[in-house]
């Protein structure tokens, strides 16, 4: 069975470590916050100027001055702090944020990522993604393995305008966990019940498969 | 040194067609609602607006887009505004999309008196096209210029008659950076108090950066994405 969005988030949460400062992008990455292991100290950074982001507010407690980078109403946790956008990207640029999780339209087998523009069709802008991918120490992409047309999103070269070059370290899709290595994508884990052959057939970029590939433990 | 103005209409006096204006806020959070309404009412045209986002269709800078007051938008993310996307794709509106950290830091540089900054954001992408780059410690960085804006229009939570500003929560975002960066900075605040009232330890923007200040009225503070949990 292919993973659903929550299961992708749950698998990514296994990459968290105690003491991490983490920036979660919009979409599936936001869901990772729901699976931080109990007792683990992880501080969420929101690039609009907050460290220590908490869960959504209870109904009636929404505060228009307190939103995350996805413009959703949120709360803070004890120990949180606010700052301006230059400091926010200053801490990102200076490598203080340990892990960045973001979505993508395409990833190449060298770790290039495209996620901000489809020429002539869709222009939303890069937001903070270009800053994050240019500086983050560890970047995990959460995305579907194929696009709605069934075409692979793991490519030899990105076809869309790039967000960053040679920056993605790991990819978690509904089918697989893969590392980006100098040899290309390296298959680490399969989703439960998904065959290695299916992953090979849906991965257009260079794919290294060594030995038996274990199933994800969720 | 009179900095206090009665209202937004008085505070934006002098802004003419073709001006380059910075507008604080992130999404609809911390935007200068009163000044935007005054700019819409005066229907000043051919503006270049530097702002992280372009509002939504019927609020924020979106109101200025509806009236076609904006010639050029410099932003990082414009995803929530259909009219913006239409004008962009049809070529009616000139748009420069730049990385959010670059946007923030180019404001900061202007306020710090630095002509340019180096950032790795955008290296190897179309953002780098035509830009000077330099390698430091084995990594490539783009040179990005400080912004040169005629006016910066910001929103703060509290301000005093000396122009000192304090922002609230995530409504801080670009406001203090833009406040530092305008040749003329206009601040609207939810609460204007006499100088000496605010604790100097808590000031985010020192009054030297602020030329005009007024107490805003009728804040809507719209929420773009209302997300809540059910109370247990």
């Amino acid at each position: 069975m292919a993973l659903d969005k929550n299961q992708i988030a749950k698998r990514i949460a296994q990459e968290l470590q105690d003491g991490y400062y983490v920036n979660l992008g919009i979409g599936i990455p936001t869901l990772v916050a729901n699976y931080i292991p109990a007792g683990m100290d992880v501080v969420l950074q929101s690039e609009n100027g907050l460290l220590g982001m908490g869960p959504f507010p209870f109904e009636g407690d929404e505060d228009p001055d307190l939103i995350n980078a996805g413009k959703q109403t949120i709360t803070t946790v004890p120990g949180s702090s606010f700052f301006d956008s230059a400091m926010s990207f200053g801490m990102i640029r200076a490598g203080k944020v340990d892990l960045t999780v973001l979505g993508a339209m395409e990833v190449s087998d060298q770790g290039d990522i495209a996620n901000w523009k489809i020429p002539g069709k869709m222009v939303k802008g890069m937001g903070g993604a270009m800053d994050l991918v240019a500086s983050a120490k560890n970047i995990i992409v959460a995305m579907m393995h194929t696009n709605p047309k069934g075409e692979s999103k793991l490519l030899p070269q990105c076809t869309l305008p790039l967000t960053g070059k040679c920056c993605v370290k790991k990819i978690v899709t509904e089918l697989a966990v893969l590392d980006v290595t100098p040899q290309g994508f390296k298959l680490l884990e399969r989703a439960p019940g998904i065959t290695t052959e299916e992953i090979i057939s849906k991965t257009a970029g260079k794919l290294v498969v060594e030995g038996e590939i274990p199933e994800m433990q969720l | 040194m009179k900095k206090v103005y009665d209202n937004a209409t008085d505070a934006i006096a002098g802004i003419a067609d073709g001006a380059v204006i910075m507008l604080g806020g992130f999404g609809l959070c911390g935007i200068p609602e009163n000044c935007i309404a005054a700019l819409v009412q005066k229907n000043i045209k051919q503006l270049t607006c530097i702002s992280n986002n372009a509002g939504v269709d019927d609020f924020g800078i979106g109101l200025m887009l509806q009236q076609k007051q904006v010639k050029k938008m410099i932003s990082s993310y414009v995803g929530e505004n259909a009219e913006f996307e239409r004008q962009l794709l049809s070529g009616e509106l000139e748009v420069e999309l730049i990385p959010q950290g670059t946007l923030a830091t180019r404001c900061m540089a202007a306020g710090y008196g630095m002509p340019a900054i180096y950032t790795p954001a955008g290296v190897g992408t179309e953002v780098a096209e035509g830009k000077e780059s330099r390698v430091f410690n084995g990594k490539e960085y783009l040179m990005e210029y400080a912004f040169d804006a005629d006016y910066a229009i910001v929103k703060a939570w509290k301000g005093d008659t000396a122009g000192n500003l304090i922002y609230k929560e995530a409504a801080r975002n670009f406001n203090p950076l833009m406040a530092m960066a305008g040749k003329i900075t206009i601040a609207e605040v939810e609460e204007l108090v006499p100088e000496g009232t605010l604790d100097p330890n808590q000031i985010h923007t020192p009054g030297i950066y602020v030329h005009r200040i007024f107490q805003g009225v009728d804040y809507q503070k719209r929420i773009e994405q209302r997300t809540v949990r059910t109370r247990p």
Side-chain angles (χ1 to χ4, degrees):
Chain A
M1 270 281 280
L3 305 187
D4 63 23
K5 288 179 179 184
N6 281 297
Q7 289 170 313
I8 293 173
K10 197 172 176 186
R11 175 60 191 84
I12 290 171
Q14 293 174 11
E15 305 294 319
L16 299 172
Q17 291 182 28
D18 197 44
Y20 262 18
Y21 290 94
V22 179
N23 182 289
L24 301 175
I26 295 163
I28 300 173
T30 305
L31 301 172
V32 174
N34 299 333
Y35 299 101
I36 298 170
M40 188 182 278
D41 192 12
V42 169
V43 180
L44 299 179
Q45 199 249 18
S46 190
E47 67 263 26
N48 55 320
L50 165 63
L51 270 170
M53 178 166 54
F56 296 141
F58 291 123
E59 274 176 50
D61 290 348
E62 311 93 283
D63 177 350
D65 292 324
L66 185 45
I67 63 167
N68 65 15
K71 286 112 179 172
Q72 297 171 308
T73 45
I74 46 149
T75 57
T76 56
V77 296
S80 64
S81 56
F82 295 108
F83 35 83
D84 66 53
S85 301
M87 185 178 282
S88 182
F89 285 95
M91 63 185 72
I92 288 164
R93 209 179 292 120
K96 307 294 182 188
V97 175
D98 299 290
L99 173 66
T100 289
V101 184
L102 75 175
M105 297 172 189
E106 296 177 346
V107 177
S108 83
D109 58 23
Q110 302 101 63
D112 298 349
I113 176 172
N115 72 353
W116 71 283
K117 181 178 183 182
I118 303 173
K121 280 193 188 154
M122 185 284 289
V123 187
K124 290 192 183 303
M126 64 290 281
M130 280 194 184
D131 306 272
L132 282 157
V133 301
S135 298
K137 284 179 282 192
N138 190 5
I139 298 168
I140 300 178
V141 163
M143 67 174 190
M144 292 295 138
H145 216 94
T146 55
N147 67 20
K149 287 190 223 157
E151 299 160 342
S152 182
K153 293 169 71 171
L154 293 96
L155 302 171
Q157 298 286 340
C158 292
T159 63
L160 297 170
L162 291 184
T163 307
K165 279 187 83 72
C166 302
C167 52
V168 176
K169 301 284 191 291
K170 192 182 282 287
I171 303 157
V172 180
T173 74
E174 81 281 21
L175 304 179
V177 179
L178 311 102
D179 265 352
V180 178
T181 71
Q183 290 74 43
F185 299 120
K186 183 173 184 195
L187 183 57
L188 300 180
E189 298 173 18
R190 297 174 289 117
I194 299 296
T195 63
T196 302
E197 289 67 36
E198 180 176 351
I199 296 163
I200 292 171
S201 75
K202 289 181 174 170
T203 306
K206 212 182 294 172
L207 180 65
V208 178
V209 182
E210 282 175 358
E212 279 296 301
I213 305 300
E215 279 192 357
M216 294 178 207
Q217 302 297 315
L218 290 165
Chain B
M1 190 172 53
K2 184 189 170 294
K3 294 189 179 188
V4 178
Y5 286 66
D6 285 341
N7 52 46
T9 308
D10 290 353
I12 66 159
I15 301 184
D17 289 357
V20 178
I21 305 178
M22 289 177 165
L23 293 137
F26 183 97
L28 300 178
C29 180
I31 60 170
E33 293 182 18
N34 281 228
C35 284
I36 290 171
L39 288 167
V40 167
Q41 210 233 330
K42 274 186 84 177
N43 202 12
I44 300 160
K45 301 267 193 192
Q46 294 289 105
L47 296 172
T48 295
C49 293
I50 302 167
S51 185
N52 189 54
N53 313 91
V56 294
D57 280 325
D58 62 346
F59 202 57
I61 294 173
L63 297 170
M64 294 162 67
L65 291 167
Q66 299 282 359
Q67 289 200 140
K68 307 228 166 69
Q69 292 176 261
V70 183
K71 179 184 72 172
K72 182 177 181 182
M73 222 30 248
I74 301 175
S75 300
S76 86
Y77 187 83
V78 294
E80 265 53 72
N81 192 316
E83 175 63 14
F84 184 103
E85 201 163 346
R86 192 197 64 73
Q87 289 186 22
L88 166 59
L89 291 171
S90 71
E92 289 166 57
L93 179 68
E94 195 184 335
V95 177
E96 189 180 339
L97 288 168
I98 61 179
Q100 195 173 127
T102 302
L103 180 70
T105 313
R106 288 176 67 188
C107 295
M108 189 197 80
Y112 278 30
M114 301 187 298
I117 55 130
Y118 284 95
T119 176
V123 168
T125 76
E126 63 182 52
V127 165
E129 284 167 17
K131 284 179 185 156
E132 197 175 318
S133 76
R134 203 170 149 178
V135 174
F136 296 94
N137 302 319
K139 182 166 173 165
E140 189 178 353
Y141 294 78
L142 301 181
M143 187 175 77
E144 298 276 7
Y145 290 105
F147 281 121
D148 185 12
D150 301 315
Y151 295 89
I153 303 178
V154 304
K155 152 83 195 313
W157 179 32
K158 293 180 182 177
D160 68 17
T161 51
N164 296 303
L165 303 176
I166 298 174
Y167 308 90
K168 185 165 170 247
E169 300 170 342
R172 191 181 316 185
N173 56 63
F174 285 85
N175 282 303
L177 305 163
M178 292 180 171
M180 293 194 300
K183 286 195 194 78
I184 293 176
T185 290
I186 302 163
E188 57 175 84
V189 299
E190 288 177 52
E191 188 184 352
L192 183 64
V193 298
E195 60 183 9
T197 311
L198 299 175
D199 177 357
N201 287 300
Q202 305 299 325
I203 302 296
H204 296 133
T205 297
I208 191 169
Y209 286 115
V210 176
H211 305 90
R212 305 175 186 176
I213 189 167
F214 68 96
Q215 179 160 321
V217 291
D218 300 332
Y219 281 104
Q220 291 191 33
K221 292 201 182 184
R222 282 205 208 169
I223 293 173
E224 263 181 83
Q225 307 283 341
R226 187 179 299 273
T227 44
V228 293
R229 297 178 274 168
T230 317
R231 223 174 266 277

